[in-house]
Amino acid sequence: MKCSFCSMEFDADESRQGCCGCAMSSCCKKIKCPRCNYEMVPEAGLIKLIKKWREKV
Ligand SMILES: [Zn+2]
């Protein structure tokens, strides 16, 4: 996984585990960069979501 903000490479699975303590939900889908704390939504999931929206319209 490469951060799209600072381009640091890190383990996405490790980062996701850290977010499971988030107060918003038990475990969100976002991946957080350990260096700059920039939050990314996995692209594959985003494309699926957009496709779903297009099918509805
Ligand atoms: Zn970063």
Side-chain angles (χ1 to χ4, degrees):
M1 180 75 204
K2 199 173 182 182
C3 175
S4 52
F5 189 77
C6 70
S7 63
M8 181 196 164
E9 287 196 42
F10 59 95
D11 194 329
D13 289 327
E14 242 174 63
S15 172
R16 207 174 292 156
Q17 277 177 0
C19 200
C20 283
C22 182
M24 294 290 284
S25 61
S26 55
C27 198
C28 68
K29 295 278 196 296
K30 281 181 184 173
I31 299 163
K32 204 170 191 178
C33 172
R35 190 160 90 176
C36 67
N37 289 329
Y38 180 76
E39 281 185 334
M40 286 154 283
V41 178
E43 268 180 42
L46 197 68
I47 289 162
K48 271 185 192 173
L49 206 69
I50 290 165
K51 276 185 180 174
K52 250 188 188 178
W53 285 339
R54 280 188 178 166
E55 277 169 18
K56 275 184 186 177
V57 177

